[in-house]
Amino acid sequence: MLGIERRREIMKLLNQHQKVYVQDLSKLFDVTDETIRRDLEKLEQQNLVKRCYGGAVINDHTSQDISFLKRIDINNSNKVYIAKKAEHLINDGDTLMVDASTTCLALLRYLKDKKDLTIITNSIRLINEFVNSDFKIISTGGELRAHSYALVGPIACETIKKYYVDTVLISCKALDIKKGLMESNEPESIIKRQMIEQAQKSILLADSTKFDKTAFTKTCDLAQIDTIVTDKEPNIEWFDYIKENDIKLIY
């Protein structure tokens, strides 16, 4: 395995587990501890990790904007679990707005047998994957953020404002009881905020690693969300807040 390939695999492990250990990695890749230390040093120079005693942790800034291709490999089993849990929330004939998140893409893969679904989305990946499906797909248009395969900007927002839908499906970079839903970048946060405004109900798909975290920019208050679908039982503080605000929780 080439060094660049090994470092890519190390980043996948870090995205899944937040921390890695030199000895574990040397056994996994069948190389010396010193080789792994050099790999971690190079990743630290790229501002991707922070080395610590015996290993490294992921360098997770509030504004860290992970590419779609990297995000699609992060916590993939959790996304599949969430998608299966959320499938029954969508009915034949529903009109949907869907963001450009990898978790929402996972859910759409379980909705292929639903009939007469209309989907308005700013995700070019979603459009490409379901081009031959029975979904009626409306693209928002707009400026392409190639990093995330998302269409953003004034044109996308104006398109969204033309429609009123049954449900919006969104994910987020982070969520906090007091700070609400947050994103790593302003353009996609604005799109999600507008989608929420146009929908009768809002469904948030968020794995447990995003709870009690902070990201760069606020999208909306948690009270604007009708249903949260996640992969693990949240703590008692979340239960109390969800009950007080009449939010449905599925895990």
Side-chain angles (χ1 to χ4, degrees), residues 168 181 193 196-197 200-203 218-227 241 245 247:
V168 60
L181 274 66
R193 191 179 307 137
I196 291 169
E197 291 292 326
Q200 291 185 25
K201 60 182 179 180
S202 303
I203 298 176
K218 180 175 180 176
T219 300
C220 70
D221 291 323
L222 272 168
Q224 293 178 256
I225 301 300
D226 298 293
T227 302
Y241 179 89
N245 290 273
I247 300 171

Short mmCIF file of all heavy atoms in Angstrom, two decimals, residues 168 181 193 196-197 200-203 218-227 241 245 247:
data_model
loop_
_atom_site.label_atom_id
_atom_site.label_comp_id
_atom_site.label_asym_id
_atom_site.label_seq_id
_atom_site.Cartn_x
_atom_site.Cartn_y
_atom_site.Cartn_z
N VAL A 168 -39.60 18.46 4.77
CA VAL A 168 -38.20 18.70 4.43
C VAL A 168 -37.35 17.68 5.17
O VAL A 168 -37.58 17.39 6.35
CB VAL A 168 -37.75 20.14 4.80
CG1 VAL A 168 -37.90 20.43 6.28
CG2 VAL A 168 -36.30 20.37 4.37
N LEU A 181 -29.47 23.95 15.35
CA LEU A 181 -28.79 23.24 14.27
C LEU A 181 -27.72 24.14 13.69
O LEU A 181 -27.94 25.33 13.50
CB LEU A 181 -29.77 22.86 13.16
CG LEU A 181 -30.54 21.55 13.29
CD1 LEU A 181 -31.51 21.62 14.46
CD2 LEU A 181 -31.30 21.25 12.00
N ARG A 193 -32.20 26.54 5.80
CA ARG A 193 -33.13 27.42 6.52
C ARG A 193 -34.34 27.73 5.65
O ARG A 193 -35.48 27.71 6.12
CB ARG A 193 -32.39 28.69 6.91
CG ARG A 193 -33.14 29.59 7.88
CD ARG A 193 -32.31 30.82 8.21
NE ARG A 193 -30.98 30.43 8.66
CZ ARG A 193 -29.85 31.03 8.29
NH1 ARG A 193 -29.88 32.03 7.43
NH2 ARG A 193 -28.70 30.61 8.77
N ILE A 196 -36.69 24.68 5.32
CA ILE A 196 -37.52 24.51 6.52
C ILE A 196 -38.73 25.43 6.47
O ILE A 196 -39.84 25.05 6.85
CB ILE A 196 -36.67 24.75 7.79
CG1 ILE A 196 -35.64 23.63 7.96
CG2 ILE A 196 -37.55 24.83 9.04
CD1 ILE A 196 -34.58 23.91 9.01
N GLU A 197 -38.52 26.67 5.99
CA GLU A 197 -39.61 27.65 5.90
C GLU A 197 -40.71 27.19 4.96
O GLU A 197 -41.87 27.55 5.13
CB GLU A 197 -39.06 29.00 5.43
CG GLU A 197 -38.18 29.71 6.44
CD GLU A 197 -38.95 30.17 7.66
OE1 GLU A 197 -40.13 30.54 7.50
OE2 GLU A 197 -38.38 30.17 8.77
N GLN A 200 -44.28 21.87 5.63
CA GLN A 200 -45.25 21.72 6.72
C GLN A 200 -44.60 21.05 7.93
O GLN A 200 -44.95 21.36 9.06
CB GLN A 200 -46.45 20.90 6.23
CG GLN A 200 -47.32 21.62 5.22
CD GLN A 200 -48.56 20.82 4.87
OE1 GLN A 200 -49.03 19.99 5.66
NE2 GLN A 200 -49.11 21.04 3.69
N LYS A 201 -43.69 20.12 7.68
CA LYS A 201 -42.99 19.47 8.79
C LYS A 201 -41.53 19.24 8.42
O LYS A 201 -41.19 19.07 7.24
CB LYS A 201 -43.66 18.15 9.19
CG LYS A 201 -43.73 17.11 8.10
CD LYS A 201 -44.46 15.86 8.61
CE LYS A 201 -44.57 14.80 7.50
NZ LYS A 201 -45.26 13.58 7.98
N SER A 202 -40.69 19.23 9.45
CA SER A 202 -39.24 19.12 9.25
C SER A 202 -38.72 17.87 9.95
O SER A 202 -38.96 17.68 11.14
CB SER A 202 -38.53 20.35 9.81
OG SER A 202 -39.03 21.54 9.22
N ILE A 203 -37.96 17.07 9.21
CA ILE A 203 -37.36 15.86 9.77
C ILE A 203 -35.85 16.02 9.73
O ILE A 203 -35.26 16.22 8.66
CB ILE A 203 -37.78 14.61 8.98
CG1 ILE A 203 -39.30 14.40 9.07
CG2 ILE A 203 -37.05 13.37 9.51
CD1 ILE A 203 -39.82 13.24 8.23
N LYS A 218 -25.21 29.07 12.52
CA LYS A 218 -26.51 28.54 12.94
C LYS A 218 -27.47 28.45 11.76
O LYS A 218 -27.58 29.38 10.96
CB LYS A 218 -27.10 29.43 14.03
CG LYS A 218 -28.46 28.95 14.54
CD LYS A 218 -28.94 29.80 15.70
CE LYS A 218 -30.31 29.32 16.21
NZ LYS A 218 -30.74 30.08 17.39
N THR A 219 -28.19 27.33 11.68
CA THR A 219 -29.23 27.16 10.67
C THR A 219 -30.61 27.52 11.22
O THR A 219 -31.34 28.30 10.62
CB THR A 219 -29.24 25.71 10.15
OG1 THR A 219 -27.97 25.40 9.58
CG2 THR A 219 -30.33 25.51 9.11
N CYS A 220 -30.97 26.94 12.36
CA CYS A 220 -32.27 27.23 12.96
C CYS A 220 -32.29 26.74 14.40
O CYS A 220 -31.38 26.03 14.84
CB CYS A 220 -33.40 26.57 12.16
SG CYS A 220 -33.43 24.76 12.29
N ASP A 221 -33.34 27.11 15.12
CA ASP A 221 -33.55 26.59 16.47
C ASP A 221 -34.09 25.17 16.40
O ASP A 221 -34.78 24.79 15.44
CB ASP A 221 -34.55 27.46 17.23
CG ASP A 221 -34.00 28.85 17.55
OD1 ASP A 221 -32.80 28.94 17.85
OD2 ASP A 221 -34.77 29.81 17.48
N LEU A 222 -33.81 24.38 17.41
CA LEU A 222 -34.31 23.01 17.45
C LEU A 222 -35.84 22.97 17.49
O LEU A 222 -36.45 22.01 17.01
CB LEU A 222 -33.75 22.29 18.69
CG LEU A 222 -32.40 21.60 18.50
CD1 LEU A 222 -31.83 21.20 19.85
CD2 LEU A 222 -32.53 20.39 17.60
N ALA A 223 -36.45 24.00 18.05
CA ALA A 223 -37.91 24.04 18.14
C ALA A 223 -38.57 24.07 16.77
O ALA A 223 -39.78 23.79 16.66
CB ALA A 223 -38.34 25.25 18.95
N GLN A 224 -37.83 24.38 15.71
CA GLN A 224 -38.37 24.39 14.36
C GLN A 224 -38.40 23.00 13.73
O GLN A 224 -38.91 22.82 12.62
CB GLN A 224 -37.57 25.35 13.47
CG GLN A 224 -37.73 26.80 13.86
CD GLN A 224 -36.89 27.71 12.98
OE1 GLN A 224 -35.85 28.22 13.38
NE2 GLN A 224 -37.34 27.91 11.76
N ILE A 225 -37.85 22.02 14.43
CA ILE A 225 -37.81 20.65 13.93
C ILE A 225 -38.95 19.85 14.55
O ILE A 225 -39.20 19.91 15.75
CB ILE A 225 -36.46 19.99 14.28
CG1 ILE A 225 -35.31 20.79 13.66
CG2 ILE A 225 -36.43 18.55 13.82
CD1 ILE A 225 -35.35 20.88 12.15
N ASP A 226 -39.65 19.09 13.72
CA ASP A 226 -40.78 18.28 14.19
C ASP A 226 -40.35 16.87 14.62
O ASP A 226 -40.91 16.31 15.56
CB ASP A 226 -41.83 18.17 13.09
CG ASP A 226 -42.41 19.52 12.72
OD1 ASP A 226 -43.09 20.12 13.56
OD2 ASP A 226 -42.16 19.99 11.59
N THR A 227 -39.37 16.31 13.90
CA THR A 227 -38.94 14.93 14.19
C THR A 227 -37.42 14.84 14.09
O THR A 227 -36.82 15.36 13.14
CB THR A 227 -39.56 13.93 13.20
OG1 THR A 227 -40.99 14.02 13.26
CG2 THR A 227 -39.14 12.51 13.52
N TYR A 241 -35.87 18.21 26.88
CA TYR A 241 -36.08 19.29 25.90
C TYR A 241 -37.04 18.86 24.79
O TYR A 241 -37.94 19.60 24.40
CB TYR A 241 -34.74 19.71 25.30
CG TYR A 241 -34.89 20.81 24.26
CD1 TYR A 241 -34.85 22.14 24.63
CD2 TYR A 241 -35.10 20.50 22.92
CE1 TYR A 241 -35.02 23.15 23.69
CE2 TYR A 241 -35.27 21.49 21.97
CZ TYR A 241 -35.22 22.82 22.36
OH TYR A 241 -35.39 23.80 21.42
N ASN A 245 -40.78 20.56 23.97
CA ASN A 245 -40.99 21.22 22.68
C ASN A 245 -41.79 20.39 21.69
O ASN A 245 -41.88 20.75 20.50
CB ASN A 245 -39.65 21.63 22.07
CG ASN A 245 -38.99 22.77 22.82
OD1 ASN A 245 -39.26 23.92 22.54
ND2 ASN A 245 -38.16 22.43 23.80
N ILE A 247 -41.31 17.57 20.20
CA ILE A 247 -40.57 17.02 19.08
C ILE A 247 -40.61 15.49 19.15
O ILE A 247 -40.43 14.92 20.21
CB ILE A 247 -39.09 17.49 19.10
CG1 ILE A 247 -39.03 19.02 19.01
CG2 ILE A 247 -38.30 16.85 17.96
CD1 ILE A 247 -37.63 19.58 19.23
#
